[in-house]
Amino acid sequence: MNNLFKKTYTITLLPLFFFLLFPSCTEAPADVKAVCELDEVYNYVIKWEVYPQIEGFVKIYSSSTPDQFDTESLPDCKVDIAAARTTIIATHGLSRRYFLLRFNDKTDIVLGTRAPKLGNVQNFRDLGGYESRSGKTVRWGKIFRSGSLDSLDTPSQKLFRQFQIATLIDFRETGSFVAPPRQAGLKNVINLPINKPFQFIAKKKIKDNELMSGDARLLMQDINRSFVFDSSTTFRSMFNQLLVEDNYPVVLSDMYGKDAVGFATYLLLYVLDIPEEEIMDDYLLTNKYLDKRVVPLDIFNAPPEIQEAVTILMSAEERFINSALDAIKKRYGTIDNYLNEELGVSPSVKRELQQILLTDNT
């Protein structure tokens, strides 16, 4: 079942979500996985798998918040479990909806869309729904990752406000950082700049038609290793900000939501005890939600090998983040040692972050 579900996740679905089933007062009779996606007209398509197969019905309730569902009222719909999917017609305009699926009044699952569409904003994603090894899940609508938010247009600003995001933590260099429009409704805009000298090397090689695909991959590995050795102060500050409950919801951002954000998100999900396979899956979702056509470089008339190299720079590959993880393990022994010694994320800080960002959905 899990292999089948993962195949659907990586190949056929749009925004997909993994969530934790949580039992009601009776023991859950089956293992249930569910996903939610948006179709072309922004309706919600919900799909589920149940193992072993059971007969009965799933009741589906919707809400504007993942923490409160009116289960005393009639559900939005009631569907035969064997149908394995249903479509919820969007009737709330731009308002984001969360869903509670109740299987035979015994097993509940809460889910939302992984990647709400935000106009020109690249790679915007909710980190909710990932399941920890302890059986808890990351809270929906609490922590996001994204590309630059300064491109929010008027309709997207309205949708963005629906997320009630309070704090932006942006990793762009001070000279390239542009704050989002005031209409986005952010209370805190925190710039934690990361110096990226490698980008100047890349731009020069691209301009001189000298950047090959092998160079691009080596460059991305160097960039990720530099996060480990040159940016510990920045990521220590990020974790300090994430310990402040009044800062939430929080969005982590850089130009394309991939390099520094990818490294930061990997560390955060690791701290939340998410299995590393799931963390890697999230890292690689950049390849789905980042439109490489937005690269601000005139490469359309460049040789094919240059275009290929730029495509690699705009991608996420396992070897990129693994170069950072390997560097961590070589110097510190384990990721936990690195977190504790360099970023101040001690076991007690881990527990505090887990308390803020994880829920058992009971």
Side-chain angles (χ1 to χ4, degrees):
M1 173 183 172
N2 290 339
N3 289 338
L4 173 62
F5 192 77
K6 174 158 286 190
K7 182 178 180 182
T8 302
Y9 170 78
T10 56
I11 296 177
T12 61
L13 296 182
L14 292 176
L16 295 182
F17 325 97
F18 288 89
F19 0 76
L20 170 64
L21 64 95
F22 58 92
S24 58
C25 57
T26 58
E27 184 178 356
D31 181 36
V32 181
K33 298 291 184 181
V35 296
C36 179
E37 59 182 1
L38 291 172
D39 65 15
E40 295 80 3
V41 291
Y42 295 85
N43 293 322
Y44 296 92
V45 180
I46 299 174
K47 304 180 183 182
W48 58 85
E49 291 184 353
V50 181
Y51 183 84
Q53 294 183 358
I54 58 174
E55 296 180 352
F57 294 90
V58 54
K59 299 175 183 176
I60 300 179
Y61 303 85
S62 68
S63 173
S64 60
T65 170
D67 301 320
Q68 292 182 330
F69 293 89
D70 182 8
T71 57
E72 299 299 320
S73 300
L74 290 174
D76 289 46
C77 62
K78 183 178 179 181
V79 185
D80 193 314
I81 292 174
R85 64 179 292 158
T86 191
T87 298
I88 305 294
I89 304 301
T91 58
H92 295 82
L94 289 174
S95 177
R96 187 187 188 192
R97 307 302 291 175
Y98 298 91
F99 299 94
L100 184 148
L101 280 60
R102 177 161 289 174
F103 292 81
N104 286 340
D105 293 323
K106 293 181 179 179
T107 301
D108 288 0
I109 291 178
V110 174
L111 60 150
T113 47
R114 170 69 62 216
K117 298 176 182 178
L118 266 183
N120 297 324
V121 176
Q122 295 291 317
N123 217 2
F124 180 77
R125 296 184 250 147
D126 191 332
L127 294 175
Y130 288 121
E131 183 176 344
S132 74
R133 290 184 176 86
S134 64
K136 297 186 177 184
T137 53
V138 181
R139 297 177 187 272
W140 285 102
K142 195 80 168 176
I143 182 78
F144 298 81
R145 57 176 294 175
S146 179
S148 168
L149 293 173
D150 46 88
S151 60
L152 281 167
D153 55 20
T154 300
S156 297
Q157 291 167 14
K158 183 177 180 181
L159 177 57
F160 187 83
R161 289 196 298 272
Q162 297 286 336
F163 305 138
Q164 299 183 324
I165 295 174
T167 301
L168 164 67
I169 299 177
D170 193 287
F171 299 113
R172 284 178 290 173
E173 292 177 289
T174 303
S176 60
F177 172 65
V178 178
R182 179 180 53 82
Q183 291 80 359
L186 291 162
K187 297 179 182 177
N188 309 305
V189 176
I190 302 170
N191 182 213
L192 299 178
I194 290 179
N195 184 33
K196 298 178 182 177
F198 298 103
Q199 69 183 4
F200 300 107
I201 298 173
K203 286 182 178 180
K204 185 177 188 306
K205 283 182 172 289
I206 292 169
K207 182 178 179 181
D208 296 340
N209 288 336
E210 294 178 352
L211 186 71
M212 300 293 104
S213 59
D215 298 329
R217 287 193 168 93
L218 290 174
L219 183 62
M220 290 305 304
Q221 292 175 72
D222 287 341
I223 288 172
N224 278 269
R225 280 191 291 267
S226 75
F227 294 147
V228 177
F229 301 119
D230 302 331
S231 303
S232 57
T233 300
T234 292
F235 294 114
R236 177 185 285 264
S237 297
M238 177 198 76
F239 277 111
N240 287 338
Q241 294 295 335
L242 293 177
L243 287 169
V244 181
E245 290 199 60
D246 288 345
N247 280 345
Y248 288 93
V250 173
V251 58
L252 307 176
S253 175
D254 60 16
M255 180 61 73
Y256 300 114
K258 60 178 292 285
D259 296 331
V261 168
F263 181 71
T265 300
Y266 196 102
L267 294 180
L268 175 58
L269 293 178
Y270 183 91
V271 166
L272 299 179
D273 201 29
I274 308 303
E276 291 184 67
E277 180 181 358
E278 295 295 315
I279 303 176
M280 185 64 75
D281 286 345
D282 177 83
Y283 179 80
L284 295 176
L285 279 179
T286 282
N287 297 323
K288 185 172 189 174
Y289 296 119
L290 175 57
D291 184 354
K292 299 175 179 62
R293 294 171 297 180
V294 303
V295 184
L297 296 170
D298 184 14
I299 62 170
F300 299 104
N301 297 319
E305 57 270 23
I306 301 299
Q307 296 188 37
E308 179 184 358
V310 173
T311 298
I312 291 170
L313 293 179
M314 295 294 291
S315 301
E317 296 184 10
E318 289 190 28
R319 72 184 79 188
F320 300 163
I321 190 67
N322 281 339
S323 65
L325 302 177
D326 290 345
I328 287 173
K329 292 170 185 176
K330 183 175 181 180
R331 176 171 294 190
Y332 301 92
T334 66
I335 297 175
D336 293 282
N337 289 342
Y338 169 71
L339 287 164
N340 188 20
E341 295 172 21
E342 292 298 328
L343 307 188
V345 183
S346 63
S348 62
V349 169
K350 276 188 176 182
R351 289 192 294 270
E352 190 172 349
L353 285 168
Q354 290 174 6
Q355 183 176 4
I356 293 171
L357 288 169
L358 296 180
T359 177
D360 57 13
N361 289 327
T362 57

